[in-house]
């Protein structure tokens, strides 16, 4: 008879913890009965009482109890045997740890946010990503978490924080923070502007490191078969040599006689391939602007790729002179406002000198309103000239995109469907063209 009672006890404990979680999420006021019951549960199962303190970060808990880090990793990740019976006592521990992580991330309170509070939230968000089985960092963040972070940044007195080197040092660069810095850069000066630039540069370098590893996995340029392969040992195509000489196999001697060696072509084409990137820098496309500026700089660093970068809202700006330095390019952007695609097309078309060797990437939500038809006619003309045209709804870490249905249907009919907004997908498409 004792086993059912024990099972019921574990279920009751878990329910207490989850009821406290819901109460805290929807009402910041402490519920004394739930707090008392939850404290008894946590202490009874051997977990630190700090799990119930809203002011204590997950980092602080793990620093004092490092063994909990392994329990949090993958804590909320889907499990293949999720339907199997679980240890009820272990489920109570999972509920206590999950409640801590979820509350620290989603119960953000109200009022002004300090630099320290933002840094703590960013750290806790990283623990949530780990609990979900994801890899935190690298400039990428789930869109829901990015939305919370953006709201926290708006609640900061950011200019005052930037003016204080000690407070500014607590800031961790993220897309939400970089967006706010880029929007406000014209209102900053002196120490505040210097700290803002340092944060932007740190973020650019971190994202570039992640993207560069993806881009550089394959070389750029087709083998030039008009140039005879260099007959050196490192170019020897061993598999092909064996295959072509199989007719010379001697079963009696168990020996393969090779009368011809085959070598790989390593000479690459010498004609530079041109990449024209056009990015909508209106208010809804900030994430795309940052990612594409960094991505363009990486492709510009590859051999035989000539990269041009244009940003536009109601006006167009040619950022090509700074394409090798995404930090400087971003400082010259003017985020916000409307958009005028035909103005950007008028700047982009003269950059097409050899259509068959050119790819044009156009990143926008394509909400052009009365300019829709002129822009599409310009895109159609570019596509028919032989340019590889790639329309992209957005370029974000989440892949979330919203594209004008009018354009989406016409791109599909043109044979140039809008690709996924995930930046990995764009890297893949560009590498296919440039490989």
């Amino acid at each position: 008879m004792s086993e059912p009672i024990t099972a019921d006890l574990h279920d009751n404990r878990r329910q207490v913890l989850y009821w406290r979680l819901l109460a805290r999420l929807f009402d910041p006021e402490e519920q004394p009965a739930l707090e008392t019951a939850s404290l008894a549960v946590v202490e009874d199962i051997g977990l630190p009482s700090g799990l119930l303190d809203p002011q204590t970060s997950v980092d602080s808990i793990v620093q004092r109890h490092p063994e909990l880090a392994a329990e949090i990793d993958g804590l909320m990740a889907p499990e293949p045997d999720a339907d199997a019976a679980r240890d009820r006592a272990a489920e109570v521990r999972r509920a206590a740890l999950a409640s801590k992580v979820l509350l620290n991330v989603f119960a953000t309170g109200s009022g002004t946010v300090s630099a320290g509070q933002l840094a703590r939230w960013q750290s806790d968000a990283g623990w949530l990503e780990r609990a979900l089985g994801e890899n935190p960092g690298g400039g990428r963040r789930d869109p829901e978490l990015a939305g919370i972070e953006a709201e926290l940044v708006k609640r900061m007195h950011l200019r005052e924080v930037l003016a204080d080197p000690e407070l500014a040092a607590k800031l961790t660069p993220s897309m939400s923070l970089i967006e706010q810095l880029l929007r406000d850069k014209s209102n900053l000066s002196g120490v505040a502007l210097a700290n803002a630039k340092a944060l932007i540069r740190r973020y650019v370098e971190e994202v570039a490191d992640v993207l560069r590893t993806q881009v550089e996995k394959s070389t750029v340029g087709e083998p030039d078969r008009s140039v005879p392969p260099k007959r050196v040992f490192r170019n020897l195509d061993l598999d092909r040599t064996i295959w072509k000489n199989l007719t010379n196999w001697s079963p009696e001697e168990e020996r393969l006689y090779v009368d011809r060696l085959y070598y790989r072509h390593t000479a690459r084409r010498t004609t530079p391939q041109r990449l024209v990137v056009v990015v909508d820098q209106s208010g809804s496309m900030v994430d795309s602007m940052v990612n594409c500026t960094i991505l363009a700089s990486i492709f510009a660093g590859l051999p035989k790729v000539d990269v041009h970068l244009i940003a536009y809202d109601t006006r167009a700006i040619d950022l090509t002179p700074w394409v090798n330095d995404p930090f400087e390019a971003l400082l010259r952007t003017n985020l916000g406002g409307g958009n005028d695609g035909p103005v950007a097309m008028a700047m982009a078309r003269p950059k097409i000198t050899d259509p068959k060797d050119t790819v044009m990437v156009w990143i926008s939500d394509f909400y052009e309103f009365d300019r829709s038809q002129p822009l599409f006619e310009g895109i159609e003309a570019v596509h028919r000239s032989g340019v590889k045209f790639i329309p992209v709804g957005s370029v974000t870490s989440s892949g979330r995109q919203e594209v004008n249905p009018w354009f989406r249907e016409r791109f599909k009919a043109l044979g140039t469907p809008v690709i996924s907004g995930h930046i990995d997908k764009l890297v893949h498409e560009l590498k296919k063209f440039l490989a």
Side-chain angles (χ1 to χ4, degrees):
M1 293 295 291
S2 61
E3 188 172 342
I5 295 174
T6 303
D8 288 344
L9 176 62
H10 288 316
D11 287 343
N12 290 339
R13 286 174 164 177
R14 189 175 57 190
Q15 287 177 21
V16 165
L17 294 170
Y18 283 138
W19 274 114
R20 176 184 178 272
L21 169 63
L22 292 172
R24 282 281 188 173
L25 283 174
F26 295 105
D27 183 0
E29 293 298 320
E30 183 177 304
Q31 303 291 326
L34 285 174
E35 293 297 324
T36 301
S38 297
L39 179 60
V41 170
V42 165
E43 290 181 340
D44 196 48
I45 61 176
L47 287 173
S49 59
L51 284 175
L52 302 178
D53 182 359
Q55 304 305 315
T56 302
S57 68
V58 179
D59 257 347
S60 296
I61 296 290
V62 172
Q63 284 172 6
R64 296 169 193 164
H65 307 274
E67 71 280 0
L68 293 180
E71 287 193 59
I72 295 175
D73 281 336
L75 179 71
M76 292 178 273
E79 297 180 13
D81 59 344
D83 294 331
R86 288 176 174 173
D87 184 310
R88 282 186 164 90
E91 283 297 287
V92 178
R93 289 182 69 87
R94 287 167 58 88
L97 293 170
S99 294
K100 175 60 179 175
V101 176
L102 291 169
L103 274 175
N104 276 31
V105 173
F106 290 101
T108 56
S110 59
T112 303
V113 174
S114 69
Q117 287 173 318
L118 178 63
R120 194 192 77 172
W121 182 91
Q122 290 171 327
S123 171
D124 287 337
W127 281 106
L128 175 58
E129 289 169 329
R130 289 177 61 169
L132 292 169
E134 300 172 3
N135 183 29
R140 300 163 181 260
R141 179 143 283 164
D142 175 88
E144 303 304 327
L145 294 181
I148 297 173
E149 183 175 35
E151 183 60 32
L152 292 172
V153 171
K154 287 178 184 177
R155 286 162 50 190
M156 292 182 67
H157 292 160
L158 190 54
R159 294 179 195 174
E160 296 176 14
V161 171
L162 291 170
D164 185 328
E166 187 175 340
L167 292 177
K170 296 180 180 179
L171 294 174
T172 300
S174 64
M175 182 60 73
S176 299
L177 184 60
I178 297 310
E179 175 181 346
Q180 196 66 28
L181 293 175
L182 290 174
R183 289 186 186 280
D184 204 35
K185 64 182 185 294
S186 60
N187 298 315
L188 301 175
S189 61
V191 174
L193 181 59
N195 285 327
K197 287 183 176 181
L199 285 164
I200 295 171
R201 186 178 288 281
R202 272 178 60 197
Y203 184 78
V204 165
E205 291 173 353
E206 287 171 8
V207 176
D209 285 343
V210 174
L211 293 181
R212 193 174 292 111
T213 59
Q214 298 177 31
V215 173
E216 293 180 348
K217 284 177 183 175
S218 67
T219 57
V220 172
E222 296 175 355
D224 188 348
R225 301 196 180 278
S226 66
V227 179
K230 186 176 290 188
R231 297 175 178 273
V232 295
F233 179 76
R234 69 173 177 273
N235 290 345
L236 179 65
D237 190 337
L238 190 58
D239 290 342
R240 190 170 177 228
T241 296
I242 293 173
W243 177 257
K244 291 288 187 179
N245 287 281
L246 280 178
T247 54
N248 298 329
W249 170 255
S250 171
E252 295 81 10
E253 301 178 64
E254 294 186 348
R255 179 173 296 180
L256 178 67
Y257 289 91
V258 176
D259 55 22
R260 182 178 176 184
L261 297 174
Y262 291 83
Y263 297 86
R264 297 184 184 89
H265 285 79
T266 56
R268 315 304 287 185
R269 55 183 298 167
T270 58
T271 305
Q273 293 170 290
R274 181 159 291 187
L275 171 60
V276 181
V277 181
V278 184
V279 190
D280 178 350
Q281 64 169 357
S282 61
S284 60
M285 302 296 294
V286 176
D287 201 343
S288 296
M289 182 71 243
V290 173
N291 278 295
C292 281
T293 300
I294 297 169
L295 191 61
S297 74
I298 293 170
F299 275 98
L302 299 180
K304 307 305 178 187
V305 182
D306 180 24
V307 179
H308 296 255
L309 177 63
I310 294 170
Y312 75 99
D313 42 36
T314 55
R315 296 176 298 174
I317 177 173
D318 189 349
L319 296 172
T320 304
W322 303 278
V323 73
N324 288 294
D325 189 341
F327 169 73
E328 290 294 335
L330 285 170
L331 290 183
R332 286 164 172 79
T333 59
N334 183 29
L335 303 178
N339 47 334
D340 190 335
V343 169
M345 180 58 79
M347 182 176 285
R349 287 190 73 168
K351 295 182 177 293
I352 302 170
T353 55
D354 184 354
K356 297 292 184 184
D357 238 358
T358 301
V359 59
M360 179 180 286
V361 179
W362 197 293
I363 302 97
S364 175
D365 54 13
F366 295 99
Y367 279 95
E368 293 285 338
F369 304 102
D370 59 332
R371 294 175 295 276
S372 295
Q373 188 63 39
L375 175 58
F376 182 73
E377 289 174 357
I379 290 172
E380 189 175 30
V382 165
H383 171 67
R384 297 199 187 285
S385 73
V387 170
K388 169 69 173 175
F389 183 81
I390 304 177
V392 186
S394 64
V395 181
T396 66
S397 57
S398 67
R400 177 172 292 186
Q401 60 175 341
E402 180 182 352
V403 177
N404 185 340
W406 189 91
F407 269 95
R408 187 185 286 278
E409 289 302 313
R410 279 155 181 77
F411 284 141
K412 187 176 180 180
L414 194 63
T416 60
V418 178
I419 70 167
S420 162
H422 201 296
I423 195 165
D424 294 347
K425 178 68 172 176
L426 179 56
V427 170
H428 176 71
E429 289 293 322
L430 290 175
K431 284 165 65 175
K432 277 201 306 185
F433 179 80
L434 297 170

